[in-house]
Amino acid sequence: MRTILTLDSDVADALKERARQFDQTFKQVVNDTLRRGLSSVSDELQTPYKVKPHNSGFRAGVDMLHLSQLADEVQSDH
């Protein structure tokens, strides 16, 4: 299929360089690069990110309203 595609100059330069490095045609490099990009997007869509909650409560005696003060105290100890 023929299509007209306008590329940013840095993208075109990178594709041309890759074609030269791997002794492939520009068309091959563009198609392979697009396939890789599209497959990674579809993989991400198929595998939803899941958050595993973890109870990370503070120890008794730690006042959450004064955490920056606690950080200062820890830094001054070193």
Side-chain angles (χ1 to χ4, degrees), residues 6-19 26 29-30:
T6 304
L7 301 173
D8 291 342
S9 60
D10 62 321
V11 173
D13 291 343
L15 290 167
K16 288 176 189 175
E17 177 62 21
R18 182 165 292 209
F26 185 76
V29 172
V30 169

Side-chain angles (χ1 to χ4, degrees), residues 11-33 36:
V11 173
D13 291 343
L15 290 167
K16 288 176 189 175
E17 177 62 21
R18 182 165 292 209
R20 187 194 62 73
Q21 285 177 341
F22 294 102
D23 195 30
Q24 294 179 327
T25 66
F26 185 76
K27 176 183 170 181
Q28 286 173 311
V29 172
V30 169
N31 283 317
D32 290 345
T33 303
R36 279 195 311 274

